[in-house]
Amino acid sequence: MQWIVKYLTSSIGKKQIMGCTGAFLALFIFGHMCGNFQLLNFDQAAAQASYNAYTEFLTGFNPLHFPVKMIYLIELVLVAAFALHIFLAVKLKIENKIARGGIDYEVNARKGKKTFATFTMIWSGLFVLVFLVQHLMMLKFGEHYLYMNDKGEIVRDMWLTTIQMFANPAWAAFYVVSMFVVGMHLFHAISSAFQTMGIAHQKWTPIIDIAGIVYSIVVALGFGITAVAAFYLGNQPETQALIEKSRALQPQYEQQQKEKAVQKAAFVIPSVGEVEVSFNAEI
Ligand code: HEM
């Protein structure tokens, strides 16, 4: 047991946990980018349908019928990974600074010299944190537009929320800058993570370094192009017409919510207490 505490409090232990959480986040970012490529569709109605179907699928995904939706578990893991990664990065930065008597510099151990990416890792990381706060506030917890899916249900229109935010040139520019910073962070992070894990090989290390660079460029460009396309789409008259259509769904949505509330009746069984019973609308 003592060795776990020793490992977790050692510099290498913290760095390896940072590497693992970072690798997990880098994989999430890649999946997220691929999902967002659906925003590159310039046929608004088709893009709206496919993007909303995609977000509905993600939020409703529960193949094993867990009492808690899968998305909440995934979000929990994501928050834990981000929190651990950021906490350890700041802790290591402070410890390094103290160990060097307050002198703020970092060295790329393998090449024996400091690089711009190494030097700015903590700052690009903290910038990504600021970006994430804005990102979740504006999209996940942002404006609720409505959309009628192919089953006739009125659901959240995530496509419109996203496109509407990007319609603002200030947010679109902020995203392009943020994606450059995300790319810069990944640029150094990937080779560094392999190095921390002790994977150093004459033949493979240069290939890993190049793969890391290509990966960071692909991610920055992929997200950046998406942001520019969303800015263009957000400023098209067709998109504004879809906003009007979305607002017109409000009375129907309220009716749907009322019907759902009626179907969900609460029964009180004296010996057990309050038990909630849901009826399936199709029965
Ligand atoms: C053009 C760039 C991007 C677009 C259009 C975009 C779009 C979105 C949207 C629409 C959501 C809300 C999904 C929902 O609640 O159903 C979201 C969530 C999220 N995004 Fe992004 N994103 C972008 C870039 C990024 C980047 C670069 C990162 C990471 C550094 C990131 C991390 C996240 C996270 C952690 C969530 C929350 C996931 C969840 O709660 O399930 N996004 N994004």
Side-chain angles (χ1 to χ4, degrees):
M1 198 65 195
Q2 220 180 357
W3 68 268
I4 298 182
V5 178
K6 213 171 161 187
Y7 171 73
L8 291 177
T9 48
S10 70
S11 181
I12 188 71
K14 280 181 246 169
K15 279 191 172 178
Q16 287 185 344
I17 296 167
M18 272 191 73
C20 289
T21 49
F24 169 74
L25 293 172
L27 285 178
F28 160 78
I29 285 177
F30 189 76
H32 192 43
M33 179 188 73
C34 293
N36 280 331
F37 279 156
Q38 289 174 84
L39 294 170
L40 295 175
N41 186 348
F42 291 95
D43 173 346
Q44 276 98 332
Q48 188 184 32
S50 72
Y51 198 71
N52 287 333
Y54 163 68
T55 52
E56 233 189 296
F57 168 74
L58 286 186
T59 44
F61 187 66
N62 197 2
L64 300 174
H65 302 284
F66 282 147
V68 178
K69 276 188 189 171
M70 287 284 275
I71 188 78
Y72 296 135
L73 298 177
I74 295 167
E75 281 170 354
L76 196 72
V77 175
L78 270 176
V79 169
F82 268 112
L84 202 57
H85 192 79
I86 296 162
F87 170 75
L88 291 178
V90 174
K91 197 166 180 344
L92 273 168
K93 177 79 187 168
I94 295 169
E95 284 170 1
N96 279 346
K97 200 165 175 173
I98 293 169
R100 291 192 177 114
I103 301 164
D104 197 6
Y105 73 94
E106 278 174 41
V107 171
N108 181 323
R110 198 167 58 221
K111 298 193 181 93
K113 62 173 192 231
K114 73 177 180 185
T115 65
F116 182 70
T118 335
F119 188 68
T120 53
M121 276 310 266
I122 188 82
W123 304 115
S124 55
L126 291 176
F127 185 95
V128 174
L129 176 63
V130 173
F131 159 77
L132 269 178
V133 173
Q134 179 278 347
H135 190 52
L136 298 183
M137 298 291 286
M138 293 291 287
L139 296 180
K140 193 168 177 58
F141 304 109
E143 188 132 8
H144 262 253
Y145 290 102
L146 298 172
Y147 175 73
M148 189 183 281
N149 66 16
D150 51 7
K151 287 174 247 142
E153 293 159 346
I154 300 173
V155 293
R156 184 173 182 193
D157 193 331
M158 202 33 134
W159 180 82
L160 258 188
T161 302
T162 309
I163 294 293
Q164 253 312 86
M165 182 194 74
F166 281 101
N168 182 334
W171 285 133
F174 173 71
Y175 266 71
V176 172
V177 173
S178 302
M179 294 315 115
F180 174 76
V181 179
V182 168
M184 207 170 74
H185 193 79
L186 287 172
F187 192 89
H188 172 70
I190 294 165
S191 63
S192 170
F194 277 94
Q195 197 183 329
T196 308
M197 295 299 168
I199 302 167
H201 187 275
Q202 231 182 356
K203 186 178 164 198
W204 293 110
T205 299
I207 297 173
I208 290 169
D209 285 355
I210 292 171
I213 291 168
V214 170
Y215 184 82
S216 57
I217 293 173
V218 166
V219 166
L221 278 182
F223 275 123
I225 289 168
T226 309
V228 173
F231 166 69
Y232 169 79
L233 275 168
N235 287 289
Q236 296 309 299
E238 291 89 337
T239 308
Q240 296 306 316
L242 288 173
I243 291 177
E244 296 309 316
K245 202 172 154 189
S246 162
R247 293 217 167 103
L249 285 171
Q250 188 63 33
Q252 233 172 309
Y253 177 68
E254 280 164 17
Q255 181 61 27
Q256 196 181 75
Q257 292 304 100
K258 269 187 211 152
E259 281 166 16
K260 273 191 186 161
V262 170
Q263 284 163 13
K264 203 174 175 191
F267 288 87
V268 177
I269 302 174
S271 59
V272 182
E274 201 172 73
V275 175
E276 210 177 54
V277 178
S278 301
F279 292 110
N280 188 336
E282 287 162 16
I283 294 171

